[in-house]
Amino acid sequence: MQTLSHRQASSLAALAVALVAGAPGIAAASNLSISATAIAVEAAEAPAEQAGQAQATPAGDHGGLTEIVVTATKRETNLQKTPISISVMGAETIRERKVQSLLDLADGGVPSLRVATFEARQSALTIGIRGIVPLDANQPAREQGVGIYIDGVYLGRQHGLNAALFDIDRVEVLKGPQGTLFGRNTEGGALSMVSKAPSGKFDGRVDGSIGNIGSRSAGVHLNLPAMGGFSVKLDGVYQHQDAITANPMPGQAGWGLFDRRGLRAAVRWQPISGVTDDFAYDVAKDENTPFYSQLLNYNPNGCLSGGTNAAPLAIPAGSTCVTPGTAFTGTQGTVRALLPGVVVNGATLMRNADIGVPQQNSVDQTHGFTNVLKWKAAPEMELRMITAWRGVDVQQWDNSGGAHRVPVVNLTAACTATAPCALSRYSLADLRQRQFSEELQAVGTIGQVDYVAGFYYFNEHVSDDAATPNSIGAVATLTGGAVTGATYTAIPFCTAATPAFVGTAVNGCSIDRASEVWSKSYAAYGQATWNATDALHITVGGRYTNDKKRGVLHFSRNINYDVNTAAAATNGYAPLNASWTRFNPTATIAYDFSHEVHGYVKYATGYRAGGASSRTSNYQAFNPEDVKSYEVGLKADLFNRRARFNLAAYIMDRNGSQVDLSTIQPTATGNFNNLVTFNAPGTTKIRGLEADLTVKPIDGLTIDASYAYTYTDIPLVPVTYREFTAAGVPTGNSTTVPQKFFIVFTPRNAASGSIAYELPLGNTGARVKLHLDANYSQATQSFDQFATKNDASFLVNARLSVLDIAMGTGAKLNVALWSRNLFNEQHVYRRDPSNSLPAVQSTAAAGVPNVVLIGNNGGVLGDYGNFNAPRTFGLEASVKF
């Protein structure tokens, strides 16, 4: 077996380290106008047992890196020869990084992929690629910017995405617009999960793990022998972790816990040669609580206390209060005193909450079936039919903020046991979603032309409701008539006989909002690659899409619009009834400079459908957004496949950017979350540079390094602010300011690196393997309208395994010690400055586009936010038979 010289091995190792250590600084200093996106690749752990899975093709007898087969072009192709920027996380890496759900990818293992919770909730995830990251895709009439797929089936909602992963063969991250082959809502790219299919042989695996914070998990994966043309695979998973932050209120759940379980059955039927039918059914349940929202500071902007803003939006003398992201430089608001017992901590994760509040588990339930029929109709053509039906049901209970967020209470002698001052916004919601999709594909090769063509149909029905009652009351402790302390007690909420519109969480509440949406999408697409020569490949394609969306707002601020049509008309309400058509073309020229070096230039387009915001009282509609991408890439295997280096550069221009303005307004019955989504004028610029290097300098040692530089800029948006009295009457005063908006959860610089080293244990066939990975992300914004950033992060994960221990019965045992966030690094991944800012207006201008409330009209307190999960560690064992 051929190996590299000491000098070559040393050079490759140094190059890997230099890429991680030096690239962020180089990119930051270069003020790039063109950017590049790197492709993170991994060597698969073993050959797949069926087509369509990532296959590790032996690279000869030189012990180099293996080939990876992906399905990004709807056919099985070698990743290095596929002219798309793709990152692949195979089953081995998923296990080594202890990835149990998609939220575990938030550590930044793929630098251009960003994963975060919506608000503090584990039940819905915000997923972005290449700067396409919506703040709030949590509404029924709002779409995601990155398509999420499981076994080729698009998942229409971000709800339920954090369910436990089953036996996943690989995760493919396709970067850049995928509008031609994958369709709508794939502006930033696509995240595709591929499950392991039945093998037709009797084998299986049993997994178990225990760890700190009460964590425990188990999995059973069983392949049954083929019989009568049928092969069956059964999977069962269970994952549990106790609360990260304890709740002082007796009998109530803490924060950051999860309890996930799921079952999946897959059947492969091969009745005759050339015909394969794969059917799968899965059901999962995820009980969880949000992460704790801490008060990070107190009046960080130095606001002066002086009541409401003076007309016409005057700047009181001496004030230095700044509203981030706007042209306001001296607004003022009432600064509230800290309530007794409230802790300010912006440095470390609180493991015990300061004030106990009611909190129960949120419940997400997902279920669905998929059927994939493939027929090799002719040597030049394979016909496929992908049929799927899926659903998700959510009951949300989120009381993560306690006394740290709206409403901010002014503790006085009037806060008595019979009339406590209410606080602790309890965000309750129900959601029910059902979707059906059908896709027909023809894939094949005719002469020098590879082609794929298809028709797609998608039908979705979503309904939701929400309420935000106050859940605890503060009672002032008086000494000599003066307030010297406070006690806190749970207060009744949601006590009316009113049923929830959708589920059970909102039963008896004053309903903030309830909406219902019906969406249909029809598409026809085609793509062809002309292999002009052995080296030159020219690809063109296009997709025609027709989207129809109909939506109604049944309730807003406890007004039943179905009944009180006069109030709905006064608020400017109009149902959503819209349709959009798009043609999304793509073109690529790829050239093989040699068998090992491949380059390409690519033009691609994508679009995200429009919709309406159910968080506004007029059901404010917004239009689609469109993106064009220009990309150049290079993929190279070097040093006899001892090194793999992939590079891509892209420019993305997005028009009609969907921008969110979010505030929470205390009302007599709760706390209304007003979020206006509108299309920003002008062209949003997104530029990026990404690179990936994999090096195997010697047998047994693999070094990976990935880096992403992402530049984003939304043009200034003119926003009009109006002044209202406390009673909601306009004063006639207003001002228009050019406001800066930001793309959330998109760091300018991000990098990831890993080292894996394994050694054989004598002649036993067993191996010892060490895995270590480190992931860095620069600080970035958490909200579209605020310049305030979260913290930078640097997370390290580790695993030490002993693999393939013979058990004497043909079975093999794997054991491992693992840790995520090995050094217990703590950072604020989501920071909300709403409570630290004064109100520009005292009541929102209901239903008026681009007229909003900035800050907190209940008073200034401080930023609140959420820390990442603490260090976790444990022992894992797995038996393969």
Side-chain angles (χ1 to χ4, degrees):
M1 183 174 292
Q2 181 180 356
T3 59
L4 299 183
S5 68
H6 175 74
R7 176 177 296 177
Q8 289 175 314
S10 300
S11 298
L12 289 174
L15 180 58
V17 174
L19 181 63
V20 176
I26 294 170
S30 61
N31 192 21
L32 295 177
S33 60
I34 294 182
S35 36
T37 299
I39 303 104
V41 295
E42 107 171 351
E45 63 175 325
E49 294 179 354
Q50 62 279 328
Q53 293 190 7
Q55 298 179 7
T57 303
D61 60 355
H62 49 66
L65 297 168
T66 55
E67 294 181 356
I68 307 297
V69 174
V70 295
T71 55
T73 59
K74 304 296 185 180
R75 63 174 66 236
E76 291 78 31
T77 59
N78 182 341
L79 183 143
Q80 289 299 97
K81 295 182 180 180
T82 304
I84 299 176
S85 180
I86 312 173
S87 296
V88 179
M89 185 172 287
E92 185 173 10
T93 297
I94 291 172
R95 180 176 65 249
E96 289 176 341
R97 298 179 71 102
K98 192 65 175 179
V99 175
Q100 298 186 101
S101 73
L102 288 182
L103 184 56
D104 290 328
L105 298 180
D107 61 9
V110 179
S112 56
L113 172 68
R114 312 317 302 178
V115 180
T117 61
F118 174 72
E119 291 284 329
R121 302 162 197 156
Q122 300 184 62
S123 55
L125 299 183
T126 296
I127 297 179
I129 299 174
R130 284 191 175 180
I132 304 293
V133 193
L135 170 66
D136 182 13
N138 207 44
Q139 304 176 62
R142 185 78 185 275
E143 305 293 343
Q144 305 170 82
V146 170
I148 311 300
Y149 296 81
I150 177 69
D151 296 325
V153 175
Y154 174 71
L155 304 181
R157 294 294 103 197
Q158 66 179 150
H159 303 81
L161 290 183
N162 202 33
L165 295 178
F166 291 104
D167 201 10
I168 297 296
D169 179 70
R170 70 185 183 276
V171 176
E172 296 181 9
V173 180
L174 284 62
K175 289 171 275 190
Q178 306 295 321
T180 299
L181 291 184
F182 287 84
R184 62 200 282 270
N185 307 331
T186 58
E187 288 180 303
L191 188 154
S192 177
M193 296 170 282
V194 180
S195 304
K196 292 183 179 179
S199 66
K201 303 175 182 178
F202 180 72
D203 57 38
R205 190 178 80 249
V206 178
D207 306 320
S209 177
I210 58 172
N212 65 328
I213 320 181
S215 70
R216 52 191 180 271
S217 65
V220 177
H221 312 281
L222 180 63
N223 273 299
L224 299 179
M227 183 177 297
F230 289 91
S231 303
V232 177
K233 186 175 189 294
L234 304 174
D235 298 291
V237 293
Y238 169 72
Q239 302 166 3
H240 176 89
Q241 178 182 278
D242 291 345
I244 293 172
T245 302
N247 189 345
M249 181 171 285
Q252 300 300 304
W255 291 276
L257 68 82
F258 61 79
D259 189 273
R260 310 174 187 134
R261 56 197 70 198
L263 295 171
R264 182 178 186 270
V267 179
R268 168 167 286 185
W269 181 38
Q270 296 173 303
I272 59 175
S273 176
V275 175
T276 300
D277 187 82
D278 283 304
F279 176 86
Y281 176 79
D282 64 87
V283 58
K285 183 178 182 181
D286 174 19
E287 295 192 33
N288 60 78
T289 56
F291 296 114
Y292 189 56
S293 296
Q294 301 179 200
L295 185 62
L296 304 174
N297 48 44
Y298 178 68
N299 192 17
N301 301 308
C303 298
L304 301 179
S305 188
T308 58
N309 299 302
L313 297 176
I315 300 174
S319 175
T320 58
C321 194
V322 176
T323 304
T326 74
F328 290 103
T329 58
T331 53
Q332 179 178 343
T334 301
V335 179
R336 302 295 190 189
L338 288 175
L339 289 174
V342 170
V343 173
V344 178
N345 184 352
T348 59
L349 170 69
M350 293 174 61
R351 302 303 298 270
N352 292 280
D354 48 13
I355 296 175
V357 299
Q359 177 68 68
Q360 67 183 88
N361 295 351
S362 295
V363 181
D364 310 323
Q365 298 181 84
T366 59
H367 46 90
F369 74 80
T370 300
N371 193 84
V372 180
L373 175 63
K374 296 181 180 181
W375 174 37
K376 190 69 173 178
E380 301 83 10
M381 178 183 294
E382 180 176 82
L383 299 178
R384 303 172 184 172
M385 182 170 65
I386 305 172
T387 307
W389 177 90
R390 298 200 62 83
V392 57
D393 296 275
V394 178
Q395 289 81 46
Q396 171 194 298
W397 285 272
D398 175 4
N399 205 353
S400 61
H404 304 158
R405 62 179 184 180
V406 177
V408 180
V409 170
N410 185 25
L411 186 67
T412 67
C415 301
T416 64
T418 56
C421 293
L423 67 148
S424 191
R425 173 182 181 267
Y426 205 170
S427 181
L428 312 175
D430 301 291
L431 179 135
R432 181 183 187 274
Q433 185 258 10
R434 299 293 184 270
Q435 68 172 66
F436 173 81
S437 62
E438 183 76 62
E439 185 168 6
L440 303 176
Q441 297 176 356
V443 181
T445 300
I446 300 177
Q448 293 176 282
V449 177
D450 300 328
Y451 68 90
V452 56
F455 297 95
Y456 180 74
Y457 172 72
F458 179 80
N459 190 329
E460 181 185 38
H461 177 213
V462 194
S463 53
D464 78 332
D465 58 25
T468 50
N470 298 317
S471 61
I472 64 172
V475 178
T477 301
L478 303 179
T479 302
V483 177
T484 57
T487 57
Y488 304 96
T489 182
I491 58 176
F493 60 90
C494 298
T495 57
T498 308
F501 177 74
V502 179
T504 59
V506 182
N507 277 342
C509 295
S510 169
I511 299 178
D512 281 356
R513 69 181 189 277
S515 66
E516 195 168 7
V517 179
W518 298 262
S519 299
K520 291 184 179 181
S521 182
Y522 308 83
Y525 62 90
Q527 180 170 295
T529 299
W530 176 40
N531 301 298
T533 69
D534 290 341
L536 179 62
H537 316 278
I538 301 174
T539 300
V540 294
R543 186 185 191 102
Y544 172 83
T545 303
N546 175 247
D547 281 341
K548 301 179 185 295
K549 186 172 290 188
R550 181 168 62 91
V552 294
L553 189 61
H554 294 288
F555 279 82
S556 181
R557 308 191 190 198
N558 207 34
I559 299 174
N560 187 334
Y561 279 12
D562 297 336
V563 175
N564 194 341
T565 56
T570 299
N571 287 334
Y573 164 68
L576 175 67
N577 190 358
S579 63
W580 306 280
T581 59
R582 288 293 189 277
F583 179 73
N584 289 114
T586 187
T588 304
I589 299 176
Y591 189 79
D592 302 329
F593 297 100
S594 69
H595 184 69
E596 294 81 16
V597 180
H598 316 277
Y600 66 90
V601 292
K602 181 179 181 180
Y603 169 75
T605 60
Y607 107 102
R608 176 162 39 150
S613 174
S614 58
R615 301 187 195 273
T616 57
S617 58
N618 69 326
Y619 205 40
Q620 181 68 46
F622 51 88
N623 291 319
E625 62 181 25
D626 297 271
V627 67
K628 296 180 180 179
S629 174
Y630 309 87
E631 181 174 330
V632 58
L634 179 71
K635 301 185 176 186
D637 284 339
L638 307 171
F639 303 106
N640 201 20
R641 283 192 179 171
R642 286 288 180 172
R644 179 169 293 159
F645 180 65
N646 294 338
L647 185 70
Y650 65 88
I651 295 175
M652 288 171 60
D653 291 328
R654 184 173 66 174
N655 292 310
S657 295
Q658 296 171 9
V659 174
D660 294 328
L661 280 161
S662 175
T663 58
I664 297 175
Q665 303 162 32
T667 66
T669 57
N671 308 275
F672 188 77
N673 187 348
N674 186 74
L675 185 141
V676 180
T677 301
F678 63 93
N679 298 94
T683 299
T684 295
K685 297 180 180 180
I686 304 175
R687 314 286 188 253
L689 173 66
E690 297 180 358
D692 181 86
L693 176 68
T694 301
V695 179
K696 191 174 181 180
I698 59 175
D699 290 349
L701 175 63
T702 304
I703 303 171
D704 287 288
S706 301
Y707 168 70
Y709 170 87
T710 310
Y711 168 85
T712 62
D713 180 64
I714 301 175
L716 292 175
V717 179
V719 179
T720 299
Y721 295 92
R722 294 179 180 177
E723 187 178 58
F724 286 70
T725 68
V729 179
T731 66
N733 300 317
S734 66
T735 186
T736 299
V737 297
Q739 182 163 337
K740 184 65 179 174
F741 287 86
F742 304 91
I743 295 178
V744 298
F745 300 115
T746 302
R748 182 68 60 88
N749 293 283
S752 176
S754 69
I755 296 176
Y757 186 61
E758 66 176 73
L759 287 171
L761 284 178
N763 296 320
T764 64
R767 299 170 288 139
V768 175
K769 186 171 185 179
L770 172 67
H771 169 88
L772 188 71
D773 64 78
N775 313 280
Y776 166 78
S777 293
Q778 195 172 3
T780 183
Q781 284 79 14
S782 306
F783 288 84
D784 289 29
Q785 76 263 38
F786 296 132
T788 305
K789 293 183 178 182
N790 58 21
D791 297 340
S793 64
F794 183 76
L795 298 171
V796 177
N797 307 311
R799 183 183 183 94
L800 179 62
S801 307
V802 181
L803 306 172
D804 297 334
I805 304 171
M807 299 183 67
T809 58
K812 292 185 178 181
L813 170 68
N814 296 339
V815 294
L817 292 171
W818 60 267
S819 177
R820 289 183 59 85
N821 191 8
L822 177 65
F823 299 117
N824 202 30
E825 185 265 6
Q826 299 182 16
H827 66 272
V828 176
Y829 76 86
R830 177 182 173 276
R831 185 185 301 268
D832 190 339
S834 299
N835 277 7
S836 63
L837 303 173
V840 173
Q841 63 188 45
S842 58
T843 303
V848 183
N850 294 8
V851 179
V852 298
L853 173 96
I854 282 287
N856 176 15
N857 63 351
V860 172
L861 189 64
D863 296 341
Y864 69 91
N866 308 102
F867 278 85
N868 64 304
R871 173 173 52 221
T872 54
F873 56 86
L875 175 66
E876 182 178 289
S878 175
V879 176
K880 298 184 295 183
F881 56 90

